[in-house]
Amino acid sequence: VKQNISSPGFMMVRPHGGGLTTENAPLRLLMQNAYGVQAFQISGGPGWIQSDGYNIEAKGDGKASHAQVLLMLRSLLEDRFQLKVHRETKELPVYALSVTRSGARLQQGKDGACVPLNPNGDLPPLGPRPAQPPPGRPCGTVGVSAESFGVRMQGEKVAVAEFIRMLSMVMGRPVMDRTGFAGTFDLRLDFTPDEAVAGLPRVAGAPDSGNPSATDPSTPPNIFAAIQEQLGLKLESTKGPVEVLVIDHVERPSQN
């Protein structure tokens, strides 16, 4: 694995061709990818793990799968950042997603509306991805995009587990699946962002709770009401066990 770590201009994490390229990626984001966790699951560490950005150019076997590339990233972090972590379970505030009394309104996925994923090929980076019109969007993935009315989450042939993953990211808090739904569905969820969507990155062009247009009757409701009205599901605050990745030791890497 060839490594080149420096401070560039914008953030991207892109597994490709058996290797990995990152641009201005903070260590926290790299850890999210390498260990398969979300930002709220990382505990401890100095402030620079979020503020400092790094370039990494890692070249490996062109036949390496996406999962193998991320294991390579984990080894790189442990070597260059002297990263040592352990996992533990904590009781934390979470959300529970369940079906309303009137029943779920989930549209069955349509054939030909998306591109099947190749598990051994190049995949989009973990995290919010811009929505693309089919047939460009991979099946099973969820895109988050800014619209004139607010924010849209959209995807084709989406499993509840993937919706939960993206919803957890947007809410900045773990979401537990209590829907009992085992199939896939076509997702389109339109909502107006407010303080509840703590994990949603600032999306250019999207109105916010401080914008007068966000209170216009023609705009979508907040995410709680939107999930209930548009999907027949409900999101409720509760507490539950959450696996947390605790940073025991980390060091800034030397330039090369």
Side-chain angles (χ1 to χ4, degrees), residues 129-160:
R129 298 181 285 272
Q132 298 175 1
R137 187 187 300 112
C139 296
T141 62
V142 177
V144 179
S145 62
E147 307 291 340
S148 59
F149 53 76
V151 174
R152 171 170 291 171
M153 294 178 65
Q154 187 171 3
E156 284 75 41
K157 293 189 175 181
V158 175
V160 170

Side-chain angles (χ1 to χ4, degrees), residues 68-155:
Q68 289 170 329
V69 169
L70 296 183
L71 284 175
M72 289 165 50
L73 174 60
R74 184 182 301 186
S75 296
L76 185 152
L77 299 182
E78 292 170 354
D79 177 49
R80 294 301 311 280
F81 290 84
Q82 299 300 302
L83 180 64
K84 293 180 175 60
V85 299
H86 73 273
R87 295 179 187 261
E88 59 183 59
T89 300
K90 295 184 177 181
E91 191 80 4
L92 297 174
V94 301
Y95 288 109
L97 185 70
S98 59
V99 178
T100 62
R101 289 185 179 181
S102 57
R105 294 191 289 275
L106 304 178
Q107 300 296 321
Q108 185 174 358
K110 303 178 185 65
D111 291 336
C114 54
V115 178
L117 282 175
N118 175 6
N120 294 318
D122 294 344
L123 300 181
L126 302 180
R129 298 181 285 272
Q132 298 175 1
R137 187 187 300 112
C139 296
T141 62
V142 177
V144 179
S145 62
E147 307 291 340
S148 59
F149 53 76
V151 174
R152 171 170 291 171
M153 294 178 65
Q154 187 171 3

Side-chain angles (χ1 to χ4, degrees), residues 1-5 55-59 76 79-80 256:
V1 177
K2 182 180 179 181
Q3 304 154 19
N4 176 35
I5 303 180
N55 281 356
I56 299 176
E57 183 68 30
K59 296 180 180 179
L76 185 152
D79 177 49
R80 294 301 311 280
N256 63 333

Side-chain angles (χ1 to χ4, degrees), residues 32-49:
Q32 287 176 240
N33 282 264
Y35 292 92
V37 297
Q38 299 201 40
F40 54 75
Q41 291 177 276
I42 298 176
S43 175
W48 62 260
I49 69 170

Side-chain angles (χ1 to χ4, degrees), residues 189-192 220-233:
L189 180 68
D190 296 336
F191 63 92
T192 297
N222 65 28
I223 194 166
F224 296 99
I227 287 175
Q228 187 162 334
E229 295 170 8
Q230 299 168 32
L231 304 180
L233 305 176

